[in-house]
Structure formats: structure tokens, C-alpha cells
Amino acid sequence: MRFDILTVFPGYLSALDLSLIGKARQAGLLEVGVHDLRDWTTDRHRTVDDTPVGGGAGMVMRADVWGKALDEYLVGEGVKILAIPTPSGPRLTQELCESLAARADRIVIACGRYEGIDARVAEHYRTREDIEVLEFSLGDYVLNGGEVAALTLVEAVGRLIPGVVGNPESLVEESHGQAGLLEYPVYTRPLDWRGHAVPEVLTSGDHGKVARWRRDAALRRTAQRRPDMIRALNAHELDKDDRAILAEYGWLWPRKPEPFSHPVRMLIDDSPDPGEVAALAARTFPDACPPSLPADAIAAHIATELSEEKFAHYAADNDHQLLGVRAEGGPLLGYSLVLLPSASRPPLAELAGAAELSKCYLDASWRGSGLNALLLTAALDRAAHAVGSGRIWLGTNAGNKRAIRAYERRGFELAGRRTYLVGDEPNDDVVMVRDIDVAY
Ligand code: SAM
């Protein structure tokens, strides 16, 4: 592959004599030519710019000078790319660099300065069938010139050419590679440095465990730093452990219908709209009732206990904590209601002074997705912040084994029984309790 870089500061590109790219050039794996754009000027001052047509600040680089220079290098057979760095271009990505490394024969880089290059240069070369014009940006900031972007492109594409990086395996697990994740943190000796020890698993010699640790660390790092990359992951390529890690950061998939192809970011809503909560409550409450319960008793309970007015009261009252959970920008998918000790009337004397998890319901399509754990964790966390160290109790229908098991998994233990009225119908509930504290 050959790069030709056109610039008014050729000295800037001398870094390309160094390190792996310098060695690759010496070894003939890569050719790089650096050319002074002013060599194509004809006036005494070697002028490459002029004032902007239409007025405005700064100077613009002339199309005629650029045209003469570029014509000289955009020649020959094979795939020819004219790369024009500009902050207004699409972002340069690893994927694009991989594609260039795989198929380009010649890349000519036009380094702009001042206010940039006359727009007709890109426009003109786009009309040429034998040339691909690639405008690209390094990121959302403005540099003084395109030379840094040229260095970047040569290095990012050049290192993917076979033989340039000594050990090709080091390219496999890198950030922005096939896995779509940032790379896991890396360590070397000394194993203990200023009180910071290398994670123990990495010295265990257990390759399976090391691989899993690295995968988890890459997922965590990407979830914390680059949510846009998590959103782009293919859900079908993630295993159960991957999903469990992402769930901790609020990234989930519904169980039904068929899993989405990408993870969905869930957000806790600390002040859900009471009307939206009431509508969700009316939809989800019947699922928690035993089949024997008459429909009119359920309807009466929804009308009196799960009305918009009730939820508006809970939302406004300091003794109640109403929470919602939704996909970013989407409808409410779950809600919880905690009664602080001052509002709770526990059915067992030994629960005096405990907070109460009065409601925790999810839209049917999201049950089994991990959303329940996310909502419950948020509800317990907020309750703990309000009461400090204490306990929280709940009642759930004794026949609802799925709910009982789920609460057991979240640390609740059976404490006794109570009778709970739905409409006028008495129901047998189990009462469960667990500790909470601020560190939860
Ligand atoms: N007026 C231009 C604009 O606002 O889009 C900025 C011109 S900039 C001062 C001069 C040159 O620096 C550009 O023509 C381009 O070659 C280079 N440049 C600046 N920021 C860049 C970025 N983020 N990515 C790639 N090239 C950049």
C-alpha cells in the first residue's frame, strides 16, 4: 500500500520515520510519500489560499492548487482513495480502517489548513469513477490542520497491514475490534505496585477463568464508558454471563417476544406519571392474583386501590416512595411502591418499625429479563437511604410461587402469613422480610 500526504508543513509528518511505521517503510511493507503543496503554486509567494467567497473570517485553500497536486498522485491502477480530514466528516472508525487496509492500493491524504479546502475539490474527485473520496473526522473538536489526522490514518491503517505489527494476535482482542467492546484492563510486573495488586485471577494459570474475567472486565468498562457501543451489540452473540453483567448496568432484553437484536437501556424513573403508573398497575395486578379470584373483586380492587388519585397521593407524600422503570424514552414497564415505617401497618408484631414493599410489578413482556431485579434493587436502595439500617417486609399471594422464589433470590425470608382483601375477597398471603442498609 502507498500513502501520499499533501501538506503545507511536510516536516510535521517526520514522525512517520519512527517506530513500527518507520520500520514497515524500511522493510518495504508500506510506502509513504510526503509532499509540499506549495510546490504546485506558481506565484512568487507560493500562495495556497485566498479569502472566502461570500465573506467571512479566515482563508480558504484554493481548488486550483490542490487539483494540480492531487492529479499527480491519484494515478495508477487499483483502488485509489482521496482522504480529506475535516471536522465536518463522519468519524474515523476501526471498521473503516480495516476496510481500507484490506482493499486500498493507494491513499492520498489532503491536509487542510486555515478554514479548510475549497469544497469543489471533494466534489470534483467524487465525479471520478476511479477514485473514492473519503472525508473523515478524528472527533468532535477542531485542530489547526489535517496533519495530525494524516498521521492517525497512516498509523491506524498501516498497523493492520500484515507484517507491520510483529504479533498479529495482539490485534485480535483490541478495543473496537470484532467483539464490539473496549479492551479489558491490562497489567504487567511488578504484581504489587504502590499497594495496587494485579487481580488475582490473572496469576491463577486457569485460562478459562482468565478469559471470563477479561470478558467481564471488557463488558463492564464498555458499559461504564461507551453506552453507544453496548447499544450496538448483537444480543444473540452474548451468553448468559455477559447478559448478567450488562443487566447490572441496566442493559436488558425482553424474554418475549423474541429477544431484540440489541440490548435496551433501562432507566429508573424517580417521579413516574401517576396516570401512567395507574394504567400499568391495572394491567399487571390481575397476573399476580390466583385464578380462583373473581374478576369483579379484581376490578373493584383496581378501581379503589390502584387509581390515578392514589398514585398521585403516593407520589406527593414523603412517607411513600413511588418508582418507575422504562426503556430510554419508552413507556413505563414496571413500578414499585415502598411505604416508609411511618406509613406501614405490618401484620406481624415483630415487623414493627419496618418499611414495606407494597408493590413491585412488571409489564408481562419483561418478566424474566432481569428488569425485576433492577427495579427491586433501586427500590431497596432508596428505602435504605430513607431509613438507614432497618428491615423491609412484603406480602405476596401464597399461591404465587414464582414471586416467592424471586423474592427469596433477592434475600427475603418467610416471616409468617396474613389475610389480604382483594375487593371483599380474603386472600392468603405469605409475609416475607429482609434487612436493608445504606450499603445495600
Ligand atoms: N473551518 C473548519 C470547520 O469548522 O469545519 C475547520 C478548519 S480546521 C481549523 C483546519 C483543518 O484542520 C481542516 O481542514 C482539517 O484538515 C483539519 N481538522 C481540524 N479538525 C479536524 C478533525 N476533528 N478531524 C480531522 N481533521 C481536522
Side-chain angles (χ1 to χ4, degrees):
M1 178 181 298
R2 182 174 170 91
F3 288 93
D4 283 289
I5 304 169
L6 287 142
T7 166
V8 289
F9 291 112
Y12 212 122
L13 283 306
S14 59
L16 294 174
D17 298 336
L18 307 174
S19 185
L20 291 182
I21 296 295
K23 281 193 192 137
R25 291 170 69 185
Q26 276 171 13
L29 295 169
L30 203 61
E31 284 176 78
V32 180
V34 177
H35 318 283
D36 189 344
L37 180 70
R38 293 191 197 278
D39 291 348
W40 283 270
T41 56
T42 46
D43 65 319
R44 201 156 55 88
H45 300 292
R46 305 192 358 121
T47 309
V48 294
D49 57 341
D50 208 333
T51 54
V53 176
M59 300 294 274
V60 175
M61 298 188 100
R62 294 174 61 111
D64 53 349
V65 180
W66 271 109
K68 279 188 276 177
L70 291 171
D71 283 346
E72 209 153 305
Y73 294 102
L74 287 166
V75 291
E77 296 299 307
V79 176
K80 298 189 284 291
I81 312 277
L82 168 57
I84 307 180
T86 163
S88 59
R91 204 80 69 84
L92 183 67
T93 61
Q94 184 68 15
E95 200 182 346
L96 182 55
C97 293
E98 279 165 11
S99 145
L100 291 175
R103 64 195 183 81
D105 295 295
R106 179 179 276 251
I107 301 180
V108 178
I109 310 176
C111 299
R113 281 264 152 184
Y114 323 121
E115 293 306 320
I117 302 173
D118 187 314
R120 289 171 296 177
V121 172
E123 203 179 296
H124 166 72
Y125 287 100
R126 277 210 176 90
T127 64
R128 291 250 314 248
E129 273 183 4
D130 61 329
I131 293 168
E132 279 178 44
V133 176
L134 167 71
E135 290 185 281
F136 73 96
S137 167
L138 289 189
D140 295 346
Y141 41 79
V142 178
L143 301 161
N144 287 333
E147 290 74 16
V148 171
L151 289 170
T152 304
L153 189 68
V154 174
E155 181 147 327
V157 174
R159 70 195 291 278
L160 298 173
I161 291 169
V164 173
V165 170
N167 179 358
E169 282 202 5
S170 62
L171 300 176
V172 175
E173 286 191 338
E174 284 184 325
S175 300
H176 311 293
Q178 252 178 16
L181 298 173
L182 300 177
E183 195 185 46
Y184 47 81
V186 294
Y187 306 88
T188 185
R189 271 156 286 280
L191 298 183
D192 220 311
W193 177 74
R194 296 189 179 176
H196 301 269
V198 166
E200 228 176 278
V201 60
L202 299 181
T203 55
S204 68
D206 183 329
H207 297 304
K209 278 196 182 141
V210 170
R212 187 66 244 176
W213 184 90
R214 287 181 164 163
R215 173 92 184 157
D216 291 355
L219 285 160
R220 286 184 191 286
R221 187 179 248 190
T222 312
Q224 286 159 354
R225 299 179 182 181
R226 292 291 302 272
D228 57 312
M229 290 174 68
I230 299 291
R231 195 171 287 116
L233 288 176
N234 182 347
H236 302 279
E237 286 175 6
L238 300 171
D239 66 21
K240 209 167 117 273
D241 294 336
D242 295 342
R243 288 174 180 230
I245 299 271
L246 292 181
E248 288 175 32
Y249 295 88
W251 292 97
L252 299 173
W253 295 259
R255 219 160 47 97
K256 291 180 207 158
E258 271 308 283
F260 291 5
S261 43
H262 300 292
V264 178
R265 175 80 164 278
M266 293 296 169
L267 298 176
I268 297 294
D269 183 345
D270 278 285
S271 45
D273 173 67
E276 213 183 349
V277 179
L280 178 63
R283 227 170 53 234
T284 53
F285 179 72
D287 300 346
C289 296
S292 56
L293 203 61
D296 55 350
I298 297 176
H301 181 89
I302 290 172
T304 53
E305 300 304 317
L306 304 176
S307 64
E308 181 172 348
E309 293 68 36
K310 284 261 166 156
F311 285 114
H313 163 71
Y314 299 143
D317 181 24
N318 285 340
D319 288 337
H320 292 81
Q321 295 179 324
L322 182 63
L323 285 188
V325 66
R326 62 177 84 244
E328 266 173 331
L332 204 65
L333 297 172
Y335 78 100
S336 66
L337 178 69
V338 166
L339 277 56
L340 296 181
S342 46
S344 175
R345 306 275 169 273
L348 308 170
E350 66 264 32
L351 295 178
E356 175 183 350
L357 179 66
S358 162
K359 305 181 196 316
C360 189
Y361 287 93
L362 282 193
D363 185 89
S365 62
W366 284 88
R367 287 177 204 146
S369 68
L371 190 57
N372 192 41
L374 194 80
L375 178 61
L376 195 56
T377 302
L380 298 184
D381 180 57
R382 281 156 180 77
H385 274 87
V387 303
S389 186
R391 287 178 304 161
I392 190 162
W393 70 273
L394 61 86
T396 191
N397 192 278
N400 193 346
K401 302 289 180 232
R402 184 180 53 81
I404 294 171
R405 268 200 310 277
Y407 285 123
E408 279 172 345
R409 278 199 300 277
R410 307 300 301 175
F412 282 89
E413 288 172 1
L414 288 175
R417 299 255 170 177
R418 73 163 178 184
T419 301
Y420 184 67
L421 286 182
V422 174
D424 292 329
E425 292 287 323
N427 279 269
D428 188 20
D429 267 11
V430 293
V431 174
M432 305 179 80
V433 66
R434 63 158 286 167
D435 291 338
I436 45 172
D437 65 55
V438 188
Y440 170 76

